[in-house]
């Protein structure tokens, strides 16, 4: 496997505040690598160091074998970037933006406009574009000149669900065309859907790295089943079922917490005479969001299960 | 088209699409010509012996130069920084110096076009006298334009937002306009006002153009002040630009 990005001991201070504190990870060729964490975890600063926009105080970084501190101009020709909170001039038109940042070839500009569904908007000014159209333009700009590595920072911030879906498909296409993708996000569903591997950051440090499934298995193994039992039902019959750690009563509703294997036995146990289960039965599987909350909050597993269970709708029927 | 030329052409389009630029750089100076050239009697003694309409020619040119340096450039650049456009250029293939170089080139071209429009208008309405020392006029105009372009880039790099740049730009533009030569003639002002005009940078631009044009003296001192200002402003924006990285 070829290493496309290597980071070791990366540190960046702003005065007394340590924004990035000894960060290290590697990204291999053809991967979609996610950098996750809550706001202020140091994700953007880390990526800005790799893009050559910021100068770290210490640490080693290599992008395509080059140091962004010294080989900035060589890297800029081979790296594409979509930046957080970076607009274009209001009166710049879509086709002008593509020509300005591209290699100036009109035919390849036209192809890109077609690919990203921007052809009808070519004469539109940046100010007149919707949020989704702007993001499509930023992605197209990041992919100009066939970059080997692409950085996307908060790509789907402020997009509606339909536009997010479009952008997700687009990221997959980018990887399929052979580029390595680094995706900074705090949307866990996005990371789970797109990323091959992720690094979770907290307080300027990487707290864990792995595939989304690894992280879920390590930090969010608790499944929760919630339902309102029939009046005659005895909750004590559930506690001995395989996989069940705990049964709690919250008003009318029961919450059963344990491993994934509890689902089938619990569902079987609550079947009524009519072979129908409780209409409000909800199953919550552990996901990357649970893993992230566990990783960044530092709560113990007991409190975590409270939190995970608290996310299932209580009053739903 | 080569990338740097493409950048300059795009920047040029963006400047002239800005209504405020069209207003202040093209319309306002022409309006000034039409008003000021006709206000005073031809035999008014306050114009160092020149006709009032001739005396004000340099001031019109100064208005264009000030509008570009104090309004057009600072607002454009500050909005680039505020909205993250500069960061986008930082990750593009353009070298760091490309954008300032494009601004200097484009602002110089816009200055030349706006001055031409002015002089043609002025000639058609009032008639223009032939410059006494054409080379001196050209040197004064070029140096004045370059100085104010440098000041404009420095202001644009220093100010945090387009709004603040617009506010400060206007705050500087109108006193410069009134005291820098486009207002009442210095001979008609009292002593205190007359000495205040000397600390207004635009005065030196106007005198550096006016003196060789109308044979009113040799503007060595004014040219020296402009060179000093240009050097200071250039050093300022180069430092600010280097500091923004990191």
């Amino acid at each position: 496997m070829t290493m496309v990005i290597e980071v070791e001991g990366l540190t960046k201070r702003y005065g007394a505040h340590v924004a990035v504190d000894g960060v290290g990870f590697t990204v291999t060729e053809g991967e979609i690598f996610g950098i996750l964490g809550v706001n202020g975890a140091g994700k953007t600063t880390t990526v800005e160091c790799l893009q050559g926009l910021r100068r770290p105080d210490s640490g080693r970084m290599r992008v395509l074998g080059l140091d962004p501190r010294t080989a900035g101009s060589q890297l800029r020709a081979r790296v594409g970037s979509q930046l957080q909170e970076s607009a274009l001039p209001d009166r710049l038109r879509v086709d002008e933006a593509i020509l300005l940042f591209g290699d100036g070839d009109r035919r390849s500009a036209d192809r890109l406009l077609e690919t990203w569904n921007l052809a009808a908007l070519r004469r539109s000014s940046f100010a007149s574009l919707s949020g989704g159209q702007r993001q499509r333009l930023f992605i197209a700009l990041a992919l100009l000149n066939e970059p080997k590595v692409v950085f996307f920072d908060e790509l789907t911030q402020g997009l509606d669900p339909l536009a997010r879906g479009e952008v997700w498909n687009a990221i997959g296409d980018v990887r399929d065309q052979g580029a390595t993708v680094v995706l900074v996000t705090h949307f866990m569903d996005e990371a789970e859907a797109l990323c091959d591997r992720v690094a979770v950051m907290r307080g300027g440090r990487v707290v864990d790295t792995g595939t989304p499934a690894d992280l879920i298995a390590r930090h969010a193994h608790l499944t929760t089943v919630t339902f309102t039992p029939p009046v005659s039902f005895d909750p004590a019959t559930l506690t001995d079922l395989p996989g069940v750690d705990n049964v709690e009563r919250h008003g009318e509703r029961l919450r059963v917490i344990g491993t994934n294997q509890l689902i089938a036995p619990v569902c079987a146990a609550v079947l009524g005479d009519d072979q129908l289960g409780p209409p409000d039965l909800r199953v919550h599987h552990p996901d990357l969001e649970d893993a992230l909350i566990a990783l960044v909050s530092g709560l113990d597993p007991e409190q975590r299960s409270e939190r995970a269970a608290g996310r299932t709708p209580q009053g739903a029927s | 088209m080569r990338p740097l030329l493409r950048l300059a052409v795009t920047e040029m389009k963006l400047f002239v699409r800005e209504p405020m630029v069209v207003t202040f750089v093209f319309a306002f100076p022409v309006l000034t010509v039409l008003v000021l050239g006709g206000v005073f009697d031809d035999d008014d003694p306050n114009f160092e012996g020149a006709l009032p309409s001739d005396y004000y020619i340099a001031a019109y040119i100064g208005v264009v130069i000030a509008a570009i340096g104090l309004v057009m450039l600072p607002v454009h650049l500050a909005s680039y920084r505020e909205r993250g456009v500069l960061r986008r250029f930082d990750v593009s293939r353009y070298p760091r110096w490309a954008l300032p170089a494009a601004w200097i080139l484009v602002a110089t071209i816009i200055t030349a076009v706006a001055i031409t429009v002015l002089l043609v208008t002025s000639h058609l309405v009032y008639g223009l006298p032939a410059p006494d020392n054409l080379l001196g006029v050209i040197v004064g105009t070029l140096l004045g334009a370059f100085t104010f372009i440098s000041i404009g880039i420095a202001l644009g790099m220093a100010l945090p937002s387009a709004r603040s740049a617009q506010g400060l730009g206007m705050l500087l533009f109108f006193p410069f306009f009134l005291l820098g030569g486009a207002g009442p003639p210095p001979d008609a002002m009292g002593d205190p006002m007359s000495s205040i005009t000397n600390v207004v940078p635009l005065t030196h631009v106007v005198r550096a153009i006016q003196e060789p044009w109308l044979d009113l003296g040799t503007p060595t001192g004014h040219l020296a002040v402009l060179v000093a200002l240009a050097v200071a402003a250039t050093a300022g924006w180069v430092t600010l630009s280097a500091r923004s990285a990191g």
Side-chain angles (χ1 to χ4, degrees), chain A residues 199-216:
Chain A
V200 177
M201 289 187 69
R202 173 190 179 185
R205 294 178 186 189
V206 172
V207 287
D208 202 1
T209 311
T211 66
D214 287 343
L215 292 186
I216 293 166

Side-chain angles (χ1 to χ4, degrees), chain A residues 38 75 213 225 231 236 240:
Chain A
V38 292
L75 276 176
V225 177
V231 185
D240 294 332

Side-chain angles (χ1 to χ4, degrees), chain B residues 10 16 26 31 36 106 121-122 127 148 176 186 188 197-198 206 209 238-239:
Chain B
T10 308
V16 299
F26 291 98
L31 193 71
L36 285 179
V106 169
T121 311
S122 183
F148 268 74
F176 278 29
T197 62
N198 281 323
V206 173
I209 300 168
V238 169
T239 313

Side-chain angles (χ1 to χ4, degrees), chain A residues 118-137:
Chain A
L118 293 164
L121 299 167
R122 68 174 70 235
R123 303 299 291 162
S124 306
S125 66
F126 178 76
S128 71
L129 301 181
S130 71
Q133 290 166 341
R134 287 180 188 198
Q135 286 296 30
R136 283 213 304 276
L137 177 59

Side-chain angles (χ1 to χ4, degrees), chain A residues 156-209:
Chain A
T156 59
Q157 187 99 326
L159 294 189
D160 63 51
L162 199 68
R164 287 182 77 198
E166 283 174 29
V167 170
W168 287 7
N169 290 337
I171 305 298
D173 294 345
V174 171
R175 189 251 314 267
D176 295 344
Q177 283 156 26
T180 304
V181 177
V182 176
L183 186 71
V184 174
T185 184
H186 54 225
F187 293 119
M188 293 308 114
D189 51 346
E190 184 165 303
E192 211 169 332
L194 291 174
C195 295
D196 300 304
R197 285 192 314 127
V198 298
V200 177
M201 289 187 69
R202 173 190 179 185
R205 294 178 186 189
V206 172
V207 287
D208 202 1
T209 311

Side-chain angles (χ1 to χ4, degrees), chain A residues 64-88:
Chain A
L64 297 165
L66 298 167
D67 188 339
R69 279 170 283 208
T70 53
S73 58
Q74 278 164 278
L75 276 176
R76 280 197 296 273
R78 301 166 67 190
V79 172
S81 295
Q82 173 267 327
L83 304 164
Q84 193 182 355
E85 287 168 14
S86 165
L88 286 167

Side-chain angles (χ1 to χ4, degrees), chain A residues 222-302:
Chain A
L222 295 174
T223 294
T224 311
V225 177
T226 318
F227 56 92
T228 307
V231 185
S232 57
F233 187 79
D234 178 12
T237 60
L238 295 175
T239 45
D240 294 332
L241 292 175
V244 173
D245 289 348
N246 200 7
V247 179
E248 299 165 355
R249 185 176 271 283
H250 292 266
E252 293 277 278
R253 291 161 70 85
L254 283 183
R255 185 185 295 157
V256 188
I257 299 155
T259 65
N260 217 25
Q261 281 136 338
L262 71 81
I263 299 169
V266 168
C267 289
V270 298
L271 276 185
D273 296 336
D274 52 3
Q275 296 297 301
L276 293 171
D280 64 345
L281 186 134
R282 294 273 183 284
V283 178
H284 174 74
H285 294 283
D287 58 18
L288 197 55
E289 188 152 341
D290 298 328
L292 181 94
I293 289 170
L295 272 167
V296 302
S297 64
L299 298 178
D300 60 43
E302 197 71 358

Side-chain angles (χ1 to χ4, degrees), chain B residues 46-242:
Chain B
N46 287 316
F47 295 94
E48 302 174 43
L51 283 174
S53 60
D54 293 354
Y55 190 85
Y56 275 116
I57 294 163
Y60 315 147
I61 296 175
V63 171
V64 170
I65 289 174
I68 286 170
L70 300 178
V71 183
M72 180 184 102
L73 283 168
V75 174
H76 185 81
L77 275 56
S79 90
Y80 267 32
R81 238 178 32 141
E82 181 183 16
R83 309 187 59 209
V85 179
L86 287 187
R87 276 154 41 85
R88 188 162 293 283
F89 274 96
D90 282 345
V91 297
S92 78
R93 293 185 306 168
Y94 291 104
R96 275 198 88 98
W97 52 264
L99 210 44
W103 292 330
I104 292 171
L105 176 67
V106 169
T108 306
I109 294 170
I110 293 178
T111 309
V113 172
I115 289 174
T116 307
V117 170
L118 257 184
L119 292 182
V120 168
T121 311
S122 183
H123 186 64
L124 293 176
V125 179
Y126 300 108
L128 280 183
D132 181 69
N133 173 1
L134 183 60
L135 185 67
V137 169
I138 292 172
V139 168
T141 307
L142 282 177
L143 184 59
F146 181 74
T147 302
F148 268 74
I149 289 169
S150 310
I151 292 173
I153 296 178
L155 285 175
M157 297 259 189
L159 294 168
S161 69
R163 197 175 279 268
S164 61
Q166 195 169 341
L168 185 67
M170 293 294 165
L171 202 64
L172 293 174
F173 178 79
F174 284 106
F176 278 29
F177 166 71
L178 290 170
L179 297 172
D187 289 2
M189 294 185 189
D191 272 351
M193 283 313 273
S194 182
S195 48
I196 288 174
T197 62
N198 281 323
V199 300
V200 173
L202 191 62
T203 304
H204 302 287
V205 177
V206 173
R207 294 300 296 185
I209 300 168
Q210 195 175 47
E211 290 182 8
W213 196 313
L214 301 175
D215 193 20
L216 301 177
T218 310
T220 319
H222 299 298
L223 292 174
V225 172
L226 291 179
V227 169
L229 280 171
V231 169
T234 304
W237 73 252
V238 169
T239 313
L240 286 167
S241 158

